[in-house]
Every structure is written in structure tokens, then in C-alpha cells.
Amino acid sequence: MLEIWGRPYSSNVIPVIWTANELKLEYTLQLAGGSFGKLDTDDYAKINPNRMIPAIRDGGFALWESLAIVRYLCDQYGAGTLSPADSHARAIADQWMEWSASKAFMPVIYLFFATVRTEPDDRDAEKIASLRDEAHAALSVLDEHLADRAYVCGNEFTMGDIPLGCIVYRYFNVNVDRPSLPHVEAWYERLSQRPAYQNHVMRFFGTNPDEWAALEKASASEGVI
Ligand SMILES: N[C@@H](CCC(=O)N[C@@H](CS)C(=O)NCC(=O)O)C(=O)O
């Protein structure tokens, strides 16, 4: 059976878990990383020599790097659906997956760390505003793209929506004022109708470090330790 190694609150693991659930794959979640540890074991180094999460094992096949894993799962188990059959459509999905990592991920994850993962008294309002502006500027490019299409690749949901869907959930749910992104908001609303997105991405992540740590700890019941 497919094994997913990681923790369900990790920003790079969530896209893999969402993908597996969109594809209705059977898998075991092997809790690793953060307070779950295991990354420094010799066994884990055989799965991912970088000692990072996520990683998967599918039969004897091991793979790491979240976007490579999402592509693999979609090509292997969702060819013609989540991995578009048309080479141009697949390239566009791929393009937005790459873009999610090169432009959108960092400002949003730093914004998340500057708010939820920082004690309220230690938060730096100027830094938070600057990260919000950077995230908004990046997501404005996506907003324009989504002005005349329902999903990143056109009318159908594909793997191209997955990494960005995870990033946007965090962006829309940290406690900061945000200028409007009407087309991204409409797309987010469409994603929010998907059960796998509701169950594995739209999870309350807390409002401060203690809440976040408690939620992460409680997620231990979701995996195989
Ligand atoms: N580019 C890698 C980044 C992996 C990464 O940074 N993983 C973090 C978690 S989000 C990690 O393993 N941190 C150590 C830990 O969680 O203990 C990917 O997309 O898979």
C-alpha cells in the first residue's frame, strides 16, 4: 500500500495528502517530522536522504519533493483527469505548480510564520504588512489568469490547482487584512466544495504557536506511528 511520510499540518505534506484523497487512493500516513521525529533514522534516509518530509513509498518505489510526488501520483493514478492527457494542458498545470513554488509559497509561508507561529506580543506589524503585500502581488498574477477560467488549466480541476489551493487556504485564513482578489476568491470557493479539500486542506491551524502545536499533536491519531 502507498505510504505517505509526513505530518498532516506541514505545508509541503498537505498537497500530497490532498492528492491521494482526490484520487481515492488507499494509503497509510507514517507520521514523521516535527515533534514526530524519525527523520534522523537510517531507515528514513533510505526513503529521503535529505531527511525532509514529505516522501512516499509506493511498493518498492520511493520518492521525495512534494511537487514531484503530486505529479507522480496524478500521472500514475489520474492520467487523463488530474494529469491532463493533452500535452499543452499538462504543461500549463506544470507551469502553475512550478510558479506556486517559485513565487507564491514563500511570502505566504513567511506570513504564516510571522502570525500563527509567532507569539502575539512578538509579532512585527510592519513585517506582516510587507509579507501580505508580497503575497498579494504574487497572487494577483493568478487572479488575472483565473478571470476567464474556472480552474488553473481551464474548466476542469487538475493537479495544477493543488499546490496553489493549499497556499491560498493559508493566505485567506491568517488573521490579516487583505485586499480583494475576486477571481482567486471565486476559485477558492469552488475548491471549498471538494470533500478532499475540506477534509485535508481546510483544517483550522490555530491562531498562535500553542494552538498550532496542540493541533499538530492531536493529529497523531491520524497516522501510523
Ligand atoms: N522542497 C521540499 C521542501 C520540504 C520541506 O521543507 N519540508 C519541511 C516540512 S514543510 C521539513 O521536512 N521540515 C523538517 C520537519 O518537519 O521536521 C518539498 O517540497 O518537499
Side-chain angles (χ1 to χ4, degrees):
M1 190 190 296
L2 174 68
E3 290 168 10
I4 299 177
W5 289 74
R7 48 195 168 85
Y9 279 92
S10 154
S11 51
N12 288 305
V13 176
I14 292 168
V16 173
I17 295 178
W18 180 18
T19 303
N21 282 277
E22 284 289 346
L23 292 166
K24 300 192 167 33
L25 301 179
E26 275 190 50
Y27 66 93
T28 58
L29 179 62
Q30 304 285 338
L31 287 167
S35 60
F36 303 115
K38 293 196 199 129
L39 304 187
D40 56 358
T41 62
D42 291 345
D43 280 350
Y44 193 71
K46 289 181 195 140
I47 303 173
N48 185 352
N50 302 292
R51 301 182 183 278
M52 308 281 272
I53 49 167
I56 62 162
R57 218 161 26 186
D58 192 14
F61 178 65
L63 190 67
W64 38 268
E65 279 297 332
S66 57
L67 298 187
I69 296 170
V70 171
R71 284 189 195 92
Y72 164 74
L73 293 176
C74 293
D75 288 343
Q76 185 79 354
Y77 301 109
T81 57
L82 291 197
S83 174
D86 176 74
S87 61
H88 287 184
R90 193 188 181 287
I92 296 294
D94 211 14
Q95 166 190 279
W96 285 100
M97 291 172 77
E98 289 294 317
W99 182 87
S100 75
S102 67
K103 293 285 183 208
F105 183 84
M106 284 307 182
V108 172
I109 209 70
Y110 286 143
L111 183 61
F112 179 75
F113 270 86
T115 52
V116 176
R117 303 290 303 273
T118 301
E119 295 295 348
D121 286 350
D122 297 335
R123 290 179 192 166
D124 177 341
E126 220 170 283
K127 180 176 162 193
I128 290 171
S130 155
L131 288 166
R132 185 270 324 276
D133 291 349
E134 210 186 312
H136 178 78
L139 293 173
S140 296
V141 176
L142 177 65
D143 197 62
E144 202 176 320
H145 178 71
L146 289 171
D148 52 5
R149 43 181 74 73
Y151 297 99
V152 158
C153 278
N155 291 329
E156 304 297 334
F157 174 81
T158 68
M159 64 183 184
D161 296 287
I162 289 178
L164 285 167
C166 299
I167 290 169
V168 159
Y169 173 70
R170 290 216 169 170
Y171 180 61
F172 284 160
N173 290 282
V174 290
N175 187 19
V176 293
D177 291 332
R178 285 170 296 271
S180 172
L181 289 166
H183 309 300
V184 174
E185 284 158 22
W187 167 76
Y188 172 64
E189 188 51 44
R190 282 189 282 280
L191 297 183
S192 305
Q193 306 306 314
R194 307 185 74 83
Y197 188 75
Q198 291 166 7
N199 293 335
H200 300 284
V201 184
M202 300 179 77
R203 304 168 62 118
F204 176 59
F205 46 61
T207 60
N208 60 52
D210 286 346
E211 280 181 13
W212 187 91
L215 289 161
E216 164 112 319
K217 203 166 173 204
S219 70
S221 61
E222 294 174 37
V224 175
I225 304 185

